[in-house]
Amino acid sequence: MNKDFLHTLGLQDDNDGSSTGQTGMHNPDAHLVSRSPVDGSEIGRVSVTTPEQYEQIIAKAQEAFQYWRTVPAPQRGEIVRQYGDALRANKDALGRLVSYEMGKSLQEGWGEVQEMIDICDFAVGLSRQLYGLTMHSERPLHRMYEQYHPLGIVGIISAFNFPVAVWSWNAMIAIVCGDVTVWKPSEKTPLCGVACQNIWAKVAKDNDLPEGISSLINGDYTVGEMMTKDERVPLISATGSTRMGKIVAQTVAARLGKTLLELGGNNAIIITPSADMDLVLTGALFGAVGTCGQRCTSTRRLIVHESRYDEVRDKLAGAYDQLRIGDPLDQNNHVGPLIDTDAVDTYLKAIEGIKNEGGNLIVAGGRIDDLGSDCYVKPCIAEVEPDSEMARKETFAPILYMMKYSDLQEAIDIQNSVPQGLSSAIMTTNMRESERFLSAAGSDCGIANVNIGTSGAEIGGAFGGEKETGGGRESGSDSWKAYMRRQTNTINYSTELPLAQGITFDLQPI
């Protein structure tokens, strides 16, 4: 395989196959080994951040914040604009690295980098729109308003499935808000983090910026714990499993810090009698098998009206027969590997759990052993009862559960019955059904779509979910407010000092 993209991104291979980059600090005694799920080969190694090095990084970040918060927001936006242009120049190489290190298709790898470019564009515009509010005071000759100030250091903990985009959702918004960032990428995709930092480092150098505006730390969960326990980091934005999120939430709450959590999803599409079958097949297929089922918005459940059930089942099974599984950098393939063999084991255990519950495998899954690594599996479809215990869990793999319903309220209740609340969709051409689904008595998820799938959110809207998904919101809309502190200001321009609520507090003249 041609790996020129590693050189393009400043990831230089040496004789032992290791790669180094702008990680901020280097520990010669411990490394993360990045191994591609595509072919099982070692891509490179990244040094693990020690506690001593972490302290140096935080000190540099604090120093950079003292400067960065005083830079006018539109000037901060100009730096983000330059970073977006640098991403455009490196879109092909970075997309290939995402595909090779994580395993998603090359189209999805390029798409993820495009998300980074899009959020840069959004952040540039936002840099001139960090609006506050004005309101009327009850006291004469007084003015009241609200404004937003930067928080400080924003700690970002990202997951392997979107190894670059989710960081950018947080970092680009935080940076235009006047914050500085410290990023811990997933230990399963560390080179993607190094590559993004290399690109940032050149933009920062070209503009004579302090090193600490964007910093990188690497390691396992213990490195992330350094940030979650650190009172100098007022906001932790963490993406990952619900289990991880609960630990982060408790740790940060214990020091009264702020969290922005993007956790598990168990996303469903409701298919009504009036659904357009072409939309159903496209939405369900990509939602279930895109990124090999490793998106937090992946479609896990199809809740199908009994009158359309057999048709959906048969057509979807036929579509699965056409899927091409293999090297994700080969654009003829639809589905790449799972991230590692642990994920494969989890997938296989889930299939056994389906069988033990009495579920019926419409499309049998299983491991694929002849594609160059041990991480390839077959996407699976299983018929289960709506209250199936397996269908209530999030298995980060291409397993799709099908179940029947008889009326719309029953379908909505089934959808909402799981602990997670990220993304949801309904396929219908009936306006009353779509509006009911979007009403307060409808979907309880943070994302609710009509006639599109559960996967593939745009950056213009706030992204996030409810219940065990964590309640956070990232990316577009007014998500920027999570990265700032709100301040209410009252100005008295009179010669008297009246108290609010008409309170009198008279003193004798002194």
Side-chain angles (χ1 to χ4, degrees), residues 166 169-170 235-240 242 245-246 248-249 258-264 296-297 420-423 444-447 457 461-483:
V166 171
W169 291 358
N170 287 274
L235 172 65
I236 296 290
S237 177
T239 303
T242 297
K246 289 180 177 179
V248 169
K258 301 175 186 290
T259 54
L260 197 168
L261 301 174
E262 298 290 353
L263 310 176
C296 51
T297 55
Q420 310 85 356
L422 179 53
S423 187
D444 65 0
C445 295
I447 299 169
F463 179 89
E466 301 301 320
K467 302 188 294 187
E468 287 194 356
T469 300
R473 293 297 185 274
E474 295 173 339
S475 192
S477 185
D478 66 348
S479 298
W480 61 271
K481 292 178 180 179
Y483 305 89

Side-chain angles (χ1 to χ4, degrees), residues 162 265 267 287 295-300 422-423 447 454-457 463:
F162 279 85
N267 316 294
R295 292 186 176 213
C296 51
T297 55
S298 290
T299 304
R300 310 285 178 203
L422 179 53
S423 187
I447 299 169
T454 61
S455 190
F463 179 89

Side-chain angles (χ1 to χ4, degrees), residues 404-417:
K404 296 178 183 178
Y405 79 93
S406 57
D407 82 26
L408 183 58
Q409 189 56 54
E410 178 191 5
I412 292 172
D413 290 343
I414 292 169
Q415 180 203 274
N416 294 346
S417 67

